[in-house]
Amino acid sequence: MSNSGKKERIHFGTLEKEAVAHAKRKREEEEEHDAMSTTVVDSLLDISEGAVPARPGAHIDLDQIDEVMGDDEELMLTDDALATRRRAMAEFDRKRIARTIAIPTNDAHVKDALRQNEQPICLFGEDAGDRRDRLRYILSKIAIERRDAGSEQQEIEDEDMKSDDEDEVQEVFYTEGSEALLHARQNIAKQSLARAEQRVERQREDCKVDLAAVRCLRQNLVAQLTNYTIVGSQVGDDRPLSRIAFAPNSRQLLVGSWSGAIKLWDIPGCKMARLFRGHTDRVGGLSFHPHAGQSKSCVDFASGASDNEIFLWSLEKDTPVGNLKGHQSRVVHVDHHPGGDYLGSASYDGSWRLWDIATEQELLLQEGHSREVFALRFQCDGSLVATAGLDGIGRIWDLRSGRSIAELEGHAKEIFGLDWSPNGYQLATGSADNTVRIFDLRKIASVQQIPAHKSMVTDVRFFHYDSTQCSEPRVSEDMDTSGDGNEDMSAHKRLCDGQYLATASNDGLINVWTAGDWKLQKSLAGHVGKVLSVDIARDGSYIASTGFDKTFKLWAADKI
């Protein structure tokens, strides 16, 4: 068979003849263009003194050109020659970048890329290879423009960073305190040392209690907590109820509303005793004076609200008896110092403040949080105060020196509630990350993370027993106290001080946890929607909560 009649064999993956010819033609054109560019650079090199002309097609090191063409020689060039040199350098730079760009081989993808860069997808007489080369050229030009713009932006950012660093250094400042603040610090130090001594002495006495009695008491406490149920519910206002607080005698409670109204209720009958009017916006903080109700001249409680006001109240009057002005934004929490002479407040203006109740004077304006401050509680000794807020960080402040002595880190989101344990060294925080963390001040670290709820935790409260304020405590009938015949009921309650805590959440539940093992003992369901606040009576007889459903509810052991 003759070769002329034999069909041409086509191997898989080979290019057509036309495509091979086109590729060869393009390669020759590029070689001619490179030769022309080399000739231009060679002419520039000949101008410089002592430069050795490069052969056509030889490799050219751009760094060597920069070394040969110094500043003095560059001034000797004419404007045209200098412009030609710069264009040649820019073209070499563009080609170097173009070689690193990956171009799609599919012609449809090439057209899409041209369309995205607002370029015509096809020119007259242009085939697929030409379009691919044009896309490479366009992308290389865009890369150079972005690089140049990025260099300018980086310089601007570096300048801004330097100025920010200078500003941060300038933000560190100290303010001289007043004589009233100095006197308050001295008074707080004196009182706190006495309370700390009493607390340590009580803890030493508790350590002497027989272990069997402690175990029996723990079992009875767990049995009582697991038996909690709803014993009272009352509609408190025509708007959601934001805050609740038990009176020191555990027989009355205050309820604050989004309408600005504050109501005093008698329990367990849930009958309103008095309506307090003064705030014009939602109430955020309520705090009873440690000695409320013992003297008519005493300021019985304080309140803070979104109208930026802090009011002082007497239980005998329905209008404020004092007003603490200074916050520039919403007041979300207030708390009385254990001594009763001072009041702390947390606000959305990013600060917390210390007030003298007797003189209604602002003693301290303390910043330190990067965002709004939402929660504030004094330690039982009165020497420390804890604050937390929307920055997700808690801070411990020493009132005697004014220093921030610890940062409570670990939460992933905002902190909305915190409370000190009566033992004086543990602190619970509730956050929008649905967890409660237990911090130990002795370690300055989180020692326990509790996956407390299915939604954000709005409030946290330990059981604080106060034998000087509480009437005879009531307990469930099935609670066995025979484990220690020498201890009366008050002593048993004192041993339960700080042994459990309650947490409230937007998932509509109040969860009760035992301290130490941090186990869930009871979930109290009754609110429709979010639970905004929770508190525990000083004698341990009730747990009270408020919710978005405009009601407050009382919870207690089934048989009391």
Side-chain angles (χ1 to χ4, degrees):
M1 181 180 293
S2 62
N3 294 334
S4 60
K6 184 178 180 180
K7 294 183 179 180
E8 182 179 2
R9 179 177 298 177
I10 300 177
H11 295 277
F12 178 77
T14 60
L15 298 175
E16 297 292 343
K17 289 184 176 181
E18 293 79 2
V20 173
H22 174 74
K24 184 177 181 180
R25 184 172 64 254
K26 285 294 181 182
R27 185 164 56 254
E28 292 175 353
E29 291 177 357
E30 289 182 358
E31 290 177 356
E32 292 177 0
H33 189 276
D34 292 341
M36 293 176 62
S37 301
T38 303
T39 304
V40 173
V41 175
D42 290 341
S43 63
L44 296 177
L45 292 174
D46 292 338
I47 297 175
S48 60
E49 182 178 358
V52 180
R55 300 187 308 275
H59 174 71
I60 300 174
D61 191 347
L62 302 182
D63 295 335
Q64 292 179 0
I65 296 177
D66 291 338
E67 293 175 359
V68 172
M69 297 298 294
D71 294 338
D72 296 336
E73 291 83 354
E74 185 173 357
L75 293 175
M76 297 173 59
L77 295 177
T78 63
D79 293 341
D80 294 338
L82 187 59
T84 304
R85 174 179 180 272
R86 290 175 178 173
R87 284 196 299 270
M89 299 291 291
E91 181 64 19
F92 276 117
D93 192 25
R94 187 198 64 77
K95 285 191 174 184
R96 179 181 58 80
I97 295 176
R99 286 193 295 269
T100 63
I101 298 176
I103 303 298
T105 57
N106 189 309
D107 190 49
H109 295 168
V110 172
K111 292 180 179 180
D112 291 338
L114 289 169
R115 186 181 294 109
Q116 292 176 2
N117 289 279
E118 300 180 353
Q119 297 292 331
I121 62 174
C122 185
L123 298 178
F124 180 77
E126 186 180 52
D127 58 10
D130 296 333
R131 271 191 296 274
R132 201 162 177 267
D133 293 337
R134 182 160 60 91
L135 177 60
R136 185 185 299 275
Y137 176 81
I138 293 170
L139 294 181
S140 64
K141 297 290 288 185
I142 293 175
I144 291 176
E145 293 175 358
R146 289 179 179 176
R147 183 193 63 184
D148 296 340
S151 300
E152 296 177 359
Q153 183 65 25
Q154 185 64 35
E155 293 178 0
I156 296 174
E157 292 178 357
D158 292 341
E159 292 295 331
D160 293 341
M161 187 175 297
K162 292 180 181 179
S163 61
D164 291 342
D165 293 340
E166 294 176 358
D167 294 341
E168 290 180 1
V169 173
Q170 294 174 359
E171 285 180 0
V172 179
F173 64 93
Y174 298 91
T175 304
E176 184 178 357
S178 63
E179 288 294 329
L181 177 59
L182 177 61
H183 177 72
R185 292 197 191 283
Q186 294 172 344
N187 188 29
I188 289 172
K190 182 178 179 181
Q191 294 179 3
S192 63
L193 287 174
R195 292 193 199 91
E197 185 178 0
Q198 295 173 4
R199 174 175 56 84
V200 173
E201 184 62 28
R202 287 196 305 269
Q203 292 174 347
R204 288 174 179 172
E205 293 178 1
D206 294 343
C207 291
K208 298 178 182 178
V209 178
D210 184 65
L211 184 59
V214 174
R215 185 181 298 109
C216 180
L217 178 65
R218 181 77 171 192
Q219 294 173 352
N220 291 335
L221 175 63
V222 172
Q224 182 183 11
L225 296 177
T226 55
N227 202 29
Y228 262 59
T229 186
I230 187 169
V231 296
S233 179
Q234 180 66 281
V235 176
D237 198 64
D238 56 358
R239 296 206 65 193
L241 306 181
S242 54
R243 190 67 63 179
I244 195 166
F246 273 102
N249 61 11
S250 300
R251 293 297 170 263
Q252 290 180 315
L253 56 83
L254 282 172
V255 177
S257 168
W258 280 15
S259 66
I262 302 173
K263 298 179 181 180
L264 180 67
W265 300 83
D266 293 326
I267 56 174
C270 295
K271 295 182 179 180
M272 189 178 72
R274 189 176 293 274
L275 171 63
F276 302 93
R277 287 286 187 181
H279 290 293
T280 59
D281 205 345
R282 63 184 67 180
V283 176
L286 287 174
S287 176
F288 268 103
H289 191 281
H291 309 298
Q294 296 182 4
S295 174
K296 292 184 178 181
S297 60
C298 174
V299 174
D300 293 313
F301 71 94
S303 64
S306 295
D307 55 9
N308 308 350
E309 301 284 354
I310 300 174
F311 287 145
L312 306 178
W313 306 82
S314 171
L315 293 175
E316 303 299 326
K317 297 181 180 180
D318 55 5
T319 56
V321 297
N323 187 5
L324 307 180
K325 295 185 178 182
H327 280 295
Q328 302 300 315
S329 188
R330 172 185 173 189
V331 181
V332 289
H333 207 99
V334 294
D335 192 35
H336 276 88
H337 187 267
D341 297 328
Y342 310 104
L343 182 76
S345 61
S347 170
Y348 263 37
D349 61 10
S351 70
W352 68 269
R353 309 193 185 203
L354 185 67
W355 309 83
D356 188 319
I357 296 178
T359 63
E360 300 182 13
Q361 178 185 1
E362 178 187 294
L363 299 176
L364 175 65
L365 187 159
Q366 182 63 62
E367 298 176 332
H369 289 273
S370 61
R371 294 188 62 190
E372 295 87 341
V373 185
F374 202 93
L376 177 145
R377 290 284 186 187
F378 288 102
Q379 187 226 25
C380 56
D381 296 340
S383 59
L384 306 176
V385 62
T387 60
L390 304 190
D391 56 0
I393 301 294
R395 290 184 179 274
I396 307 296
W397 308 83
D398 190 337
L399 293 174
R400 299 163 296 184
S401 64
R403 294 180 178 272
S404 174
I405 62 174
E407 289 187 2
L408 310 180
E409 299 180 344
H411 284 294
K413 294 185 179 180
E414 301 89 343
I415 299 176
F416 291 111
L418 60 83
D419 194 24
W420 288 92
S421 171
N423 60 26
Y425 55 84
Q426 285 184 326
L427 180 74
T429 57
S431 170
D433 60 9
N434 308 346
T435 67
V436 172
R437 283 185 176 269
I438 308 299
F439 292 90
D440 194 320
L441 200 59
R442 300 170 299 182
K443 301 178 180 179
I444 314 181
S446 173
V447 296
Q448 184 70 35
Q449 180 181 10
I450 307 173
H453 291 273
K454 297 180 180 179
S455 186
M456 59 183 289
V457 181
T458 55
D459 203 4
V460 180
R461 194 65 173 157
F462 275 98
F463 168 52
H464 295 260
Y465 178 67
D466 188 356
S467 61
T468 62
Q469 292 282 352
C470 299
S471 57
E472 185 64 23
R474 297 179 298 169
V475 296
S476 60
E477 294 178 358
D478 59 349
M479 183 173 180
D480 181 17
T481 60
S482 60
D484 188 357
N486 297 326
E487 296 288 337
D488 58 6
M489 189 60 63
S490 178
H492 279 274
K493 282 292 182 180
R494 182 171 59 81
L495 290 174
C496 292
D497 189 21
Q499 292 301 306
Y500 65 95
L501 73 155
T503 61
S505 171
N506 279 358
D507 60 8
L509 298 177
I510 300 98
N511 288 341
V512 184
W513 313 79
T514 48
D517 56 5
W518 311 110
K519 290 184 178 180
L520 176 64
Q521 301 299 337
K522 187 71 173 182
S523 288
L524 306 176
H527 283 283
V528 180
K530 305 173 183 178
V531 182
L532 302 180
S533 180
V534 67
D535 197 13
I536 304 175
R538 295 293 183 91
D539 61 359
S541 56
Y542 296 104
I543 294 176
S545 60
T546 60
F548 204 77
D549 56 5
K550 308 172 187 177
T551 68
F552 71 89
K553 301 184 185 298
L554 291 177
W555 315 81
D558 192 16
K559 296 179 181 180
I560 59 174

